[in-house]
Amino acid sequence: MPELPEVETIRRDLERVILHKQIADLEIHLGRVVKTDFLRFIATLQDNHFVRIHRTGKLLQFELAHGEFLLVHLKMTGQLICRLPESANALNAGLIVGGHPMASIDELPNKYTHVEFTFEDGTKLFFNDVRTFGYVELVSAEERADIVGKFGIEPLTQNFLLEDFEKIFQKRTAPLKSILLNQQLVSGIGNIYADEICFRAKVMPDISVSKLSKQEIKRVFNATQNILEKAVLKRGTTFSDYVDAQGKKGGYLPYLKVYQRDGRLCLRCEEVKIQKIRVAGRGTHFCPNCQR
DNA sequence: CTTCTTGTTACTGA
DNA sequence: ATCAGTAACAAGAA
């Protein structure tokens, strides 16, 4: 489940290898995941090139040379996997980015590859998705601005201010976790980091935000920044057998304190076990001793 | 076989 | 108009 840190990692990796390279070939293996008319999709992308890759929350936006945008949302199991041509030097022989489950880049495309780009230098970009919730879509600059405008505040920008964060909680009664997961209020947080943020802030995920003190809101604000910053630094969280080109696993997994740790001793207090409940329709992990 | 997994949205009711 | 809660979607794992 790629969230802000995973999608940002993908954005940064791809920006280093696909910008300004002409799209020489384009194959759509599963039309269902392309939300744009097939002919327009091909006609717009063929021989075009990306000039920049943007991210808003979990939504990637590949800016094309003439101002249109290719939107890519990975939803739960989407992947963007890039394979450099064999002529590239050995250190850069393969670059794997994206979620899980893992696919060997030498075996791509596989049965979960739905869209395949080939760039002029032989670089390949595969859009894979096991559950096909993800999509790619072409939009104009205006449409892109409308879509991006509906997202809430971005946690890792200068626009992320305590003052604005506090306003989100005013006149609301929903559980804290459902506010954190609401992309129209705060963008980029998913199920893993929502639990980790609540734990770090020492607040129960199911507490009504109307009952949060100013101090607690500030702790949630700080935890959001700290957790997401570190997760980006560690290139996201991986649960399965994902490895990058250097054979290294996703770096944030060892830092998780509560997610998928139910039944195991709390790493902070070492007194009680992490519990799992359902909040906002999602599996939710917390320490009953550390969080109030 | 059933149950669980999650990002987002449609829908319902207040 | 706004907010909150739930179901639905897909398909694989257990």
Side-chain angles (χ1 to χ4, degrees):
Chain A
M1 337 112 267
E3 305 180 28
L4 187 155
E6 291 76 29
V7 179
E8 176 62 16
T9 300
I10 291 167
R11 190 195 68 79
R12 292 180 185 183
D13 284 347
L14 290 180
E15 268 212 334
R16 279 187 276 121
V17 291
I18 66 168
L19 294 190
H20 311 296
K21 292 179 181 176
Q22 193 178 64
I23 299 167
D25 193 27
L26 186 56
E27 288 176 76
I28 300 172
H29 302 294
L30 184 65
R32 192 153 51 84
V33 304
V34 179
K35 299 216 298 183
T36 304
D37 170 75
F38 178 83
L39 290 177
R40 181 165 94 85
F41 193 78
I42 300 288
T44 304
L45 289 170
Q46 182 73 44
D47 298 331
N48 207 336
H49 65 269
F50 302 119
V51 296
R52 199 176 153 186
I53 308 174
H54 308 256
R55 179 194 56 76
T56 308
K58 304 163 192 169
L59 180 68
L60 286 170
Q61 307 129 51
F62 294 71
E63 184 176 350
L64 286 156
H66 299 296
E68 285 193 285
F69 288 83
L70 177 72
L71 307 185
V72 180
H73 203 302
L74 301 173
K75 291 289 181 86
M76 291 168 57
T77 54
Q79 302 175 316
L80 281 171
I81 300 179
C82 194
R83 183 172 67 212
L84 299 183
E86 288 183 23
S87 59
N89 80 52
L91 278 175
N92 295 339
L95 174 66
I96 304 169
V97 291
H100 29 78
M102 180 51 199
S104 165
I105 66 167
D106 295 327
E107 293 166 8
L108 293 174
N110 61 26
K111 66 175 185 170
Y112 303 120
T113 303
H114 307 317
V115 184
E116 182 177 350
F117 294 84
T118 306
F119 296 90
E120 56 184 338
D121 68 340
T123 299
K124 288 273 197 176
L125 177 63
F126 303 96
F127 173 67
N128 293 351
D129 193 353
V130 170
R131 294 183 207 175
T132 66
F133 273 20
Y135 62 85
V136 298
E137 180 182 21
L138 270 177
V139 296
S140 67
E142 293 75 20
E143 290 169 324
R144 179 251 182 178
D146 286 345
I147 291 166
V148 165
K150 292 194 176 83
F151 280 83
I153 50 180
E154 272 283 330
L156 298 187
T157 67
Q158 292 185 330
N159 295 328
F160 193 61
L161 303 172
L162 179 59
E163 187 188 339
D164 296 331
F165 198 69
E166 285 170 339
K167 281 181 188 155
I168 289 170
F169 295 86
Q170 289 169 11
K171 294 179 181 179
R172 284 181 201 277
T173 60
L176 172 59
K177 181 163 174 175
S178 73
I179 299 293
L180 292 176
L181 291 175
N182 187 332
Q183 302 300 301
Q184 292 175 305
L185 300 177
V186 192
S187 42
I189 300 172
N191 206 36
I192 299 171
Y193 296 112
D195 285 1
E196 296 298 314
I197 288 164
C198 292
F199 176 79
R200 183 170 176 128
K202 301 179 182 176
V203 179
M204 281 292 290
D206 65 347
I207 190 175
S208 167
V209 293
S210 64
K211 295 187 174 175
L212 286 177
S213 68
K214 200 162 181 172
Q215 198 176 42
E216 285 169 328
I217 293 174
K218 189 173 180 180
R219 291 212 303 268
V220 175
F221 175 80
N222 288 331
T224 300
Q225 270 188 327
N226 293 335
I227 299 264
L228 294 178
E229 257 172 35
K230 178 126 188 182
V232 169
L233 198 68
K234 296 295 171 184
R235 302 176 56 83
T237 303
T238 306
F239 286 108
S240 59
D241 49 355
Y242 162 83
V243 287
D244 68 14
Q246 290 85 31
K248 294 174 185 167
K249 290 206 169 189
Y252 197 75
L253 192 61
Y255 298 92
L256 294 181
K257 300 285 194 287
V258 287
Y259 187 77
Q260 282 203 351
R261 294 200 73 257
D262 45 305
R264 299 170 66 188
L265 209 56
C266 174
L267 293 167
R268 183 179 167 275
C269 69
E270 299 182 324
E271 285 174 20
V272 300
K273 291 176 178 175
I274 301 302
Q275 286 185 19
K276 184 175 179 182
I277 56 173
R278 193 152 287 268
V279 179
R282 297 289 170 247
T284 301
H285 315 73
F286 69 98
C287 172
N289 192 35
C290 294
Q291 291 167 265
R292 310 269 158 188

